[in-house]
Amino acid sequence: MAGSILWYTHVTMKNMNIYQYPIEKLRVQPVGLIVAFAVMATLVPTLIAAECTCDEEDEERDRSKALRYKIAALVSILVASAIGVCLPLLGKVIPALSPEKDIFFIIKAFAAGVILSTGFIHVLPDAFENLTSPCLNEHPWGDFPFTGFVAMCTAMGTLMVDTYATAYFQNHYSKRAPAQVESQTTPDVENEEHTHVHAHASHSHAHGHISFDQSSELLRHRVISQVLELGIIVHSVIIGISLGASESPKTIRPLVAALTFHQFFEGMGLGSCITQANFKSLSITIMGLFFALTTPVGIGIGLGISNVYDENSPTALIFEGIFNAASAGILIYMALVDLLAADFMNPRMQKNGRLQLGSNISLLLGAGCMSLIAKWA
């Protein structure tokens, strides 16, 4: 059998004129293939591992040029944040922007889409990247999906805070309401007729019941606006520090436009909640300023620590990862439950097909535009 194979090989090679070639040339082909396979086997793991190094990237570093971009980012983000958060508040001056108008639902749906996309597309992936970085040689959670766990716990914690805060203030007000009604039903004149007292008591009871319903709704919006601002602020400080600490103009340049757009529409979402909460002027001013100044303050902190800040250090990665995951949990919960579900289940929207269609399109546009920005930021 072996002899037959050798004879067939000899005849085949003779017919193909293989013997005309020197033996050295015949060896080039298999040796070349072996070398090629060896090079590929060496380079492929290297290329794959190149994406997961802890070394500083070889980026174009120009401190003076980066500083100019940072100042431009600080100013543009501050202005965009202030305009975004103030725009829904102009409903008291501009009737078209008041919460009673249909356009308010459409604008709020767009802003909610931006916030939802921020949580899912921007913040949560960054948290996963931070907490699973190869720079963390040893971390206590091992292979456990700690990032998702933090986001889930924060979302549940937000639900608990939302529920207990609303229940506490509702119970507190419901205990005060009967006393107010009773004091209002006391006649000022002792000899007043019984029928007049009965009518006055009925009117006061009805008035107290309406006030309780209105105060419950008002309280609900106040809790929503404060918890939402907390989630936005945590995220805004982190991205501000990251931008301020960077010394690469190539990295900062696309972030300026992206973060300006991002903060503008996040501000619109927050401003819509503040408008419905009907805070006093001082509280509105403080909340608006707090939101508008958060990212610029973060940029300022980043500028101050740029010489010592290392974004690949284990401390920075864990700190940013945990806070990003917590912020993502808050933003996702607030966008889905307190912004979208509350409005989309509103009887007014349920009865208006055109408003439903407009709000759904607005939601998709807001989420889509914010998702597209993830390509640059």
Side-chain angles (χ1 to χ4, degrees), residues 147-212:
T147 308
F149 179 74
V150 172
M152 179 188 70
C153 290
T154 310
M156 292 189 297
T158 307
L159 171 65
M160 294 175 188
V161 170
D162 198 357
T163 303
Y164 285 119
T166 305
Y168 171 78
F169 286 108
Q170 283 183 348
N171 293 334
H172 181 70
Y173 185 85
S174 63
K175 291 177 182 178
R176 292 174 54 190
Q180 293 177 354
V181 171
E182 185 178 353
S183 64
Q184 290 174 358
T185 57
T186 304
D188 295 333
V189 182
E190 293 183 359
N191 59 354
E192 193 169 3
E193 294 182 0
H194 176 71
T195 55
H196 178 71
V197 173
H198 179 73
H200 182 69
S202 301
H203 173 72
S204 299
H205 178 73
H207 180 70
H209 179 69
I210 293 171
S211 298
F212 176 73

Side-chain angles (χ1 to χ4, degrees), residues 77-357:
I77 290 172
L78 176 63
V79 172
S81 300
I83 294 174
V85 77
C86 289
L87 199 60
L89 301 175
L90 296 176
K92 296 179 180 179
V93 180
I94 304 173
L97 297 176
S98 65
E100 288 77 20
K101 300 294 183 180
D102 289 348
I103 189 65
F104 185 84
F105 283 87
I106 295 174
I107 294 173
K108 193 175 176 184
F110 185 92
V114 170
I115 293 172
L116 184 64
S117 178
T118 299
F120 273 120
I121 306 298
H122 292 259
V123 186
L124 193 58
D126 287 346
F128 273 107
E129 184 179 351
N130 290 332
L131 295 179
T132 58
S133 172
C135 303
L136 297 175
N137 296 324
E138 296 181 1
H139 41 76
W141 50 86
D143 295 331
F144 181 74
F146 187 66
T147 308
F149 179 74
V150 172
M152 179 188 70
C153 290
T154 310
M156 292 189 297
T158 307
L159 171 65
M160 294 175 188
V161 170
D162 198 357
T163 303
Y164 285 119
T166 305
Y168 171 78
F169 286 108
Q170 283 183 348
N171 293 334
H172 181 70
Y173 185 85
S174 63
K175 291 177 182 178
R176 292 174 54 190
Q180 293 177 354
V181 171
E182 185 178 353
S183 64
Q184 290 174 358
T185 57
T186 304
D188 295 333
V189 182
E190 293 183 359
N191 59 354
E192 193 169 3
E193 294 182 0
H194 176 71
T195 55
H196 178 71
V197 173
H198 179 73
H200 182 69
S202 301
H203 173 72
S204 299
H205 178 73
H207 180 70
H209 179 69
I210 293 171
S211 298
F212 176 73
D213 289 344
Q214 290 176 344
S215 66
S216 299
E217 188 69 18
L218 198 63
L219 177 66
R220 174 83 177 143
H221 288 302
R222 290 185 176 183
V223 172
I224 289 171
S225 59
Q226 291 172 353
V227 175
L228 177 61
E229 180 159 25
L230 175 64
I232 292 174
I233 283 173
V234 171
H235 156 63
S236 298
V237 168
I238 292 174
I239 60 175
I241 291 175
S242 299
L243 190 149
S246 176
E247 294 180 356
S248 170
K250 186 178 179 181
T251 301
I252 299 173
R253 192 185 303 117
L255 286 175
V256 177
L259 292 179
T260 301
F261 177 89
H262 172 269
Q263 291 297 111
F264 175 77
F265 285 105
E266 265 194 353
M268 286 186 65
L270 179 62
S272 302
C273 294
I274 294 174
T275 300
Q276 291 180 304
N278 198 21
F279 284 108
K280 293 182 180 179
S281 299
L282 180 61
S283 299
I284 292 174
T285 304
I286 292 173
M287 292 183 72
L289 283 174
F290 215 71
F291 168 75
L293 292 173
T294 302
T295 304
V297 167
I299 295 174
I301 294 172
L303 280 167
I305 64 174
S306 59
N307 292 329
V308 296
Y309 179 77
D310 180 13
E311 63 180 5
N312 290 325
S313 68
T315 303
L317 287 169
I318 293 174
F319 177 83
E320 289 184 16
I322 290 176
F323 276 89
N324 272 330
S327 176
I330 294 173
L331 293 177
I332 291 169
Y333 170 85
M334 297 301 295
L336 288 174
V337 178
D338 287 334
L339 297 180
L340 293 174
D343 283 351
F344 278 63
M345 297 301 172
N346 191 307
R348 179 175 170 184
M349 186 177 290
Q350 294 287 315
K351 296 175 182 178
N352 191 333
R354 293 179 62 186
L355 181 58
Q356 284 186 39
L357 179 62

